[in-house]
Amino acid sequence: MPTSTRLKLSLLMFLQYFIWGTWYVTMGPYLNETLKFSGPQLGLAYGATALAAIVSPFFVGMVADRFFATEKIMAVLHLVGGALLLYISTLTTFGTFYPLLLIYTLCYMPTLALANSLSFRQMTDPGKEFPGIRVLGTIGWIVAGYAIGVLGFGTSAGMFRTAAAASIALGLYSFALPHTPPTSTGGKVQLRDILGLDALALMKERSFAIFVLGSFLICIPLQFYYGLAGTFLSEIGVADVSSKMTLGQWSEIGFMLLMPFFFVRLGVKWMMIVGMLAWTVRYALFALGDAGSGMWMLYVGILLHGICYDFFFVTGQIYVDKKAPAHLRGAAQGFIAFVTLGVGMFIGSLVFGPVVDAYKLVDASGAVGHNWSAIWVYPAAAAAVVLVLFFLMFNDRVETAPAK
């Protein structure tokens, strides 16, 4: 890959995840403390990304594969998204805020799969080249978190205005990305194209179907971490939670850079198994740790994020790119986003709520807490079950699909 192309794709990943990192982590305190939204309203707001991931990737993947160059689709989506974010920053009632946030996420979530698809199209060996580029996305997320803190936007609408500026910048920059034309042009558009059924045809292969099922199932306990880790740490008395949580992203960078080394030696199956095992160990450490002598367990649990994410999800993206024919790779990446970021994460958000409520504790003074040790047992057990099933059923033989 030419150095100029590598630099362009690296900046793409940085901006792509900088946008998300500016508002996703700190939206909760803003909605809760500043706008005074209720708990259920907060849950709906965080579920918007999952709903968008369910609805949008099939259609956009089909459009990118058949009609328009990927970089032009990304440009339009990020420019429109930037305008929506500016408007969202002015809204203060849930009845106006939530519908606009949902529309925005319908623009943003497809760009995750499109950014991957565009990058893979420029590579000769994604297994070696993609990790070094994708790591810039993690750096972008970290920089966004520090930027919001330095600017003092943690509980203000400034986070959305910052995201809007970055979105517009990426929209304009997208026109300068490597030209990535559709790979399946011509022919009459059928219902199967609109619904992404061509990508679903990949499910006929047993190994791919097991991979998809494992990705879906692991995202259910995964949502416990994204939805509850910050609350858990804060409630048990851990100081400066936001900065401690970024240790997971720093870990992600380290393991992303090491991925080519492990990929060659472990292969797809064992990379994913190690990733699933890390999820199980992380939740077990959270169940056993505390803010005192057990704080080291919490640090290790957070630092395991690099293995949890990189070894399963990034490996999975590479696996999909190798398995899908060239004319279906956009739709296939969208399909995985649908299964993981969409259905799996949405079901996970529905599951952890009742579990948390079941272990609510109220002391004599009326203060509310939770039996976190019991709560974390659930995702630990679920991840362990998925791990065993995946180990027994998945075959990692990968042959690059021929171009058509």
Side-chain angles (χ1 to χ4, degrees), residues 2 6 47 68 86-88 99 105-106 112 128 188 199 202 211 218 222 229 283 294 313 323 331 334 358 393:
R6 178 181 293 275
F68 302 105
L86 282 175
Y87 187 44
I88 287 170
T105 57
L106 285 169
L112 295 171
K128 293 182 179 179
K188 184 172 62 175
L202 297 171
F211 161 74
I218 202 67
L222 178 152
Y283 291 132
F313 290 101
K323 296 294 290 186
M393 301 176 68

Side-chain angles (χ1 to χ4, degrees), residues 56-370:
S56 59
F58 279 136
F59 173 74
V60 174
M62 183 274 292
V63 171
D65 282 335
R66 296 184 64 90
F67 299 111
F68 302 105
T70 302
E71 74 276 7
K72 290 184 172 59
I73 298 174
M74 291 191 64
V76 171
L77 290 175
H78 280 299
L79 289 172
V80 173
L84 288 169
L85 285 167
L86 282 175
Y87 187 44
I88 287 170
S89 71
T90 68
L91 304 176
T92 57
T93 64
F94 184 77
T96 56
F97 177 89
Y98 177 69
L100 268 295
L101 179 66
L102 183 57
I103 295 172
Y104 167 70
T105 57
L106 285 169
C107 290
Y108 178 82
M109 294 308 288
T111 64
L112 295 171
L114 290 175
N116 289 339
S117 178
L118 184 149
S119 297
F120 287 137
R121 288 273 300 279
Q122 312 304 319
M123 297 176 183
T124 55
D125 189 348
K128 293 182 179 179
E129 295 171 322
F130 185 67
I133 290 172
R134 173 57 182 81
V135 73
L136 269 294
T138 303
I139 294 174
W141 184 286
I142 293 172
V143 171
Y146 283 118
I148 293 302
V150 170
L151 294 171
F153 292 159
T155 56
S156 79
M159 70 181 73
F160 290 109
R161 289 191 287 270
T162 303
S167 185
I168 292 171
L170 180 51
L172 296 173
Y173 174 68
S174 293
F175 289 111
L177 290 171
H179 181 50
T180 311
T183 56
S184 180
T185 57
K188 184 172 62 175
V189 179
Q190 300 178 349
L191 181 62
R192 67 180 297 108
D193 299 317
I194 297 175
L195 298 179
L197 297 182
D198 285 335
L200 288 176
L202 297 171
M203 295 285 286
K204 294 178 181 178
E205 183 178 339
R206 182 177 181 275
S207 63
F208 190 83
I210 296 301
F211 161 74
V212 172
L213 178 62
S215 298
F216 161 69
L217 291 176
I218 202 67
C219 279
I220 296 175
L222 178 152
Q223 187 69 326
F224 276 72
Y225 176 75
Y226 288 122
L228 297 176
T231 302
F232 158 64
L233 295 174
S234 179
E235 191 171 289
I236 67 172
V238 175
D240 198 11
V241 171
S242 60
S243 65
K244 288 182 173 63
M245 289 290 288
T246 63
L247 292 174
Q249 277 66 51
W250 286 113
S251 169
E252 185 181 331
I253 292 174
F255 283 103
M256 188 80 71
L257 295 174
L258 291 172
M259 272 195 69
F261 173 84
F262 287 109
F263 200 88
V264 172
R265 288 158 179 79
L266 297 179
V268 173
K269 180 174 183 174
W270 284 103
M271 288 281 286
M272 293 181 177
I273 286 174
V274 170
M276 290 179 170
L277 178 62
W279 283 109
T280 305
V281 173
R282 159 187 273 175
Y283 291 132
L285 289 170
F286 280 6
L288 297 171
D290 57 55
S293 61
M295 187 65 201
W296 69 270
M297 299 184 189
L298 305 184
Y299 278 126
V300 173
I302 295 171
L303 287 168
L304 280 172
H305 181 73
I307 300 177
C308 292
Y309 185 85
D310 295 341
F311 278 43
F312 191 87
F313 290 101
V314 177
T315 298
Q317 291 165 359
I318 295 171
Y319 174 76
V320 170
D321 185 71
K322 289 180 178 291
K323 296 294 290 186
H327 68 289
L328 288 180
R329 284 170 185 162
Q333 292 292 344
F335 176 55
I336 293 304
F338 166 83
V339 170
T340 57
L341 298 175
V343 181
M345 296 286 276
F346 184 70
I347 292 177
S349 67
L350 297 178
V351 169
F352 77 67
V355 172
V356 170
D357 282 348
Y359 292 97
K360 182 184 294 185
L361 303 173
V362 181
D363 63 20
S365 66
V368 177
H370 297 87

Side-chain angles (χ1 to χ4, degrees), residues 391-403:
F391 171 76
L392 294 175
M393 301 176 68
F394 181 71
N395 188 311
D396 65 340
R397 285 180 297 181
V398 177
E399 296 180 5
T400 304

